Amino acid sequence: MPESNAARNDKSPPAGGGGPLDRIFDLTGRRTTVPRELRGGVTTFFAMAYIILLNPIILGGAKDVTGATLSIPQLTTMTALSAAVATVIMGLAGNAPLALAAGLGINAVVAFQAAPVMTWPQAMGLVVIEGAVIVVLALTGIRERIMNSIPLALKHAIAVGIGAFIALVGFHDAGFVTSSDVSPPLALGTGGHLATWPVLVFALTLLLMIVLYVRRVPGAILVSIVAGTVAAVAIQENASVKEGGWGVVTPDMPDKLFATPDFGLFGEIDLFGGFAEAGVITALVVLFTLVLSGFFDAMGTILGISDEAGLVGPKGEVPRLGRILSVDGLSAAFGGVTSSSANTVFVESAAGVGEGARTGLANLATGALFAVTLFLTPLAATVPAQAAAPALVVVGALMMTQVAKVAWDDLEIAIPAFLTIVLMPFTYSITIGIGGGMVSFALIKLARGRWRDVSVWLWPVVLLFLVFFAIDPIEQWLDVR
């Protein structure tokens, strides 16, 4: 089994001893240790803990067809609960360091495409149906066959694209790179300068993380996140930072450590009411968007992170893939049951892999912290993006090294690989990157009369992506806008 970049940089001795954790998670076989796994799980949690605050903001800021809104405290509780349960189940069933939580992008579909045409329970009912569809595709083996039919070079390209994508996410969330409606669309900091305290925290944390990582200091990523958080809290207490300058999370010392969780949204679903409320065609369009986004976002993330963790075999196969895909679908449905939107595998899991995580044991640590967060929401709200985002940049750099595995002298694979890589950060979407790569790969093969080189399982995927890219004119044609 190939060894990942993170594994090569971590020289601590492999596990042994044949204890129960070793037997359950195959620590020895994957050349890892309990401390390394726990360290990776904690790092993953800190890298993705922002979702506990961001998901409620996205869902809570939208209104359904009746004008109703969802409670922010209830959404916060459900987001943490859903992530904890889904992540632990993935660790036990899939034995992979793949943490799950409410998917960004998918929650936007629920908030801004589903809710305006149906009630919140009906929208969450569609999320449950989406998860059920993905489970059926996994149990029948269709999803696994599709993933295994992707050429190995494109799988490496997906990993590289995700590396570029998460690096951009890190830079943007930290305010190091900002977006604008005028030219240029992306720029450095504020007006082309790094002019704020939050960006300084990000830059110093990133430099510290790079130094510690290249010196192979155990826990380099986690130590840097903690140091960055301490610096951010000190600056917030003693310097002048404008309101909103830190982004979603402001590093204020909380007035209290504990808060009582509110489970009021659990089970508030109406499975099929959305089809009657919004109309069958409109509801099907929403469901199609949910399934396609959930299917391919998770697929790309699973392949990319598994590759970086050294879990992908010589032919591109991922161990326990069937279980991983089934858990992903079940977790999406569970997100609907909790009204927190569909859960999906988080690309921030790469931060834990960069810290050494190789097995599902890391997920137990991540899931446990999400569970604790049910009662410690004020404390979880202390870690700003500027302290956690550097992990995404460093791990993105590590994932980028897989670009060497693509045969760039073969245009039949080089062009699809290039589109896969660049479209992910350029469109801020893993799904679109995969779609661009798949469609161009099939088109090139077809143009050269080598359409038989494309697996029979990929042709339906290509057609679905063509529908996905043309969804706006299709909606206009069907008069469902």
Side-chain angles (χ1 to χ4, degrees):
M1 182 175 293
E3 193 175 37
S4 73
N5 297 303
R8 287 191 291 270
N9 288 329
D10 194 337
K11 300 304 180 181
S12 53
L21 290 179
D22 195 357
R23 290 192 295 270
I24 294 172
F25 296 105
D26 189 25
L27 301 178
T28 300
R30 297 191 181 180
R31 296 187 59 79
T32 185
T33 64
V34 172
R36 192 186 301 174
E37 292 298 305
L38 298 181
R39 198 168 66 226
V42 172
T43 300
T44 293
F45 169 78
F46 279 115
M48 62 186 289
Y50 68 87
I51 194 62
I52 300 172
L53 302 170
L54 186 56
N55 190 52
I57 290 173
I58 293 173
L59 293 177
K63 297 180 179 180
D64 70 6
V65 70
T66 69
T69 59
L70 297 177
S71 161
I72 295 293
Q74 290 178 338
L75 282 171
T76 301
T77 297
M78 290 296 99
T79 301
L81 173 67
S82 191
V85 172
T87 297
V88 168
I89 292 176
M90 177 64 81
L92 294 174
N95 193 25
L98 301 168
L100 299 95
L104 291 174
I106 301 177
N107 57 7
V109 173
V110 175
F112 305 117
Q113 189 171 345
V117 295
M118 60 186 72
T119 67
W120 283 114
Q122 291 165 353
M124 295 305 169
L126 280 187
V127 173
V128 174
I129 296 173
E130 175 232 331
V133 170
I134 291 177
V135 169
V136 170
L137 293 174
L139 292 178
T140 56
I142 293 176
R143 195 177 184 190
E144 186 171 356
R145 288 188 179 95
I146 291 173
M147 290 181 69
N148 288 333
S149 66
I150 299 172
L152 183 57
L154 282 188
K155 290 180 179 178
H156 293 313
I158 289 172
V160 174
I162 289 176
F165 173 72
I166 65 174
L168 179 58
V169 169
F171 282 125
H172 188 270
D173 287 354
F176 190 89
V177 171
T178 55
S179 55
S180 172
D181 293 333
V182 297
S183 182
L186 293 178
L188 177 69
T190 304
H193 303 283
L194 303 179
T196 66
W197 283 107
V199 174
L200 176 63
V201 170
F202 167 79
L204 293 178
T205 304
L206 177 60
L207 293 175
L208 174 64
M209 192 175 294
I210 291 171
V211 170
L212 295 181
Y213 197 90
V214 298
R215 290 184 62 85
R216 300 171 182 171
V217 174
I221 293 177
L222 183 56
V223 168
S224 301
I225 291 175
V226 173
T229 301
V230 171
V233 170
I235 288 173
Q236 179 65 16
E237 289 290 325
N238 297 285
S240 177
V241 179
K242 69 176 183 179
E243 185 176 354
W246 294 98
V248 175
V249 179
T250 300
D252 288 314
M253 286 301 295
D255 297 328
K256 58 181 181 178
L257 294 180
F258 300 96
T260 303
D262 186 341
F263 299 96
L265 287 176
F266 190 88
E268 293 293 313
I269 57 171
D270 179 354
L271 273 181
F272 301 106
F275 291 91
E277 180 70 40
V280 174
I281 294 178
T282 298
L284 284 176
V285 169
V286 174
L287 181 60
F288 172 77
T289 304
L290 287 171
V291 171
L292 199 67
S293 297
F295 187 109
F296 287 101
D297 262 24
M299 187 188 79
T301 304
I302 290 167
L303 288 173
I305 294 175
S306 297
D307 200 2
E308 175 61 19
L311 302 180
V312 176
K315 296 182 179 179
E317 67 276 11
V318 177
R320 295 196 184 191
L321 181 58
R323 292 187 184 184
I324 291 173
L325 298 177
S326 296
V327 172
D328 177 62
L330 288 171
S331 299
F334 185 65
V337 172
T338 61
S339 295
S340 62
S341 182
N343 290 310
T344 189
V345 177
F346 253 56
V347 73
E348 282 82 357
S349 302
V353 170
E355 196 60 83
R358 298 290 174 274
T359 74
L361 180 58
N363 276 34
L364 301 193
T366 305
L369 288 173
F370 272 118
V372 170
T373 303
L374 287 169
F375 305 92
L376 295 175
T377 304
L379 187 60
T382 305
V383 181
Q386 288 76 11
L392 303 183
V393 178
V394 170
V395 174
L398 299 177
M399 297 180 73
M400 187 65 65
T401 61
Q402 297 185 48
V403 73
K405 299 177 181 179
V406 178
W408 293 105
D409 57 346
D410 180 0
L411 290 181
E412 290 190 11
I413 198 66
I415 293 176
F418 171 77
L419 291 175
T420 299
I421 292 168
V422 300
L423 283 176
M424 287 188 192
F426 287 177
T427 65
Y428 228 66
S429 170
I430 294 173
T431 296
I432 291 176
I434 294 174
M438 296 297 174
V439 171
S440 60
F441 175 74
L443 178 64
I444 290 172
K445 291 294 186 181
L446 186 64
R448 301 197 64 182
R450 301 176 62 179
W451 58 271
R452 290 185 181 85
D453 291 350
V454 181
S455 168
V456 66
W457 292 100
L458 280 189
W459 284 112
V461 173
V462 171
L463 292 176
L464 283 175
F465 269 119
L466 289 174
V467 172
F468 176 74
F469 289 133
I471 194 67
D472 279 347
I474 290 174
E475 286 179 342
Q476 294 181 40
W477 176 52
L478 295 175
D479 194 25
V480 295
R481 295 183 64 85

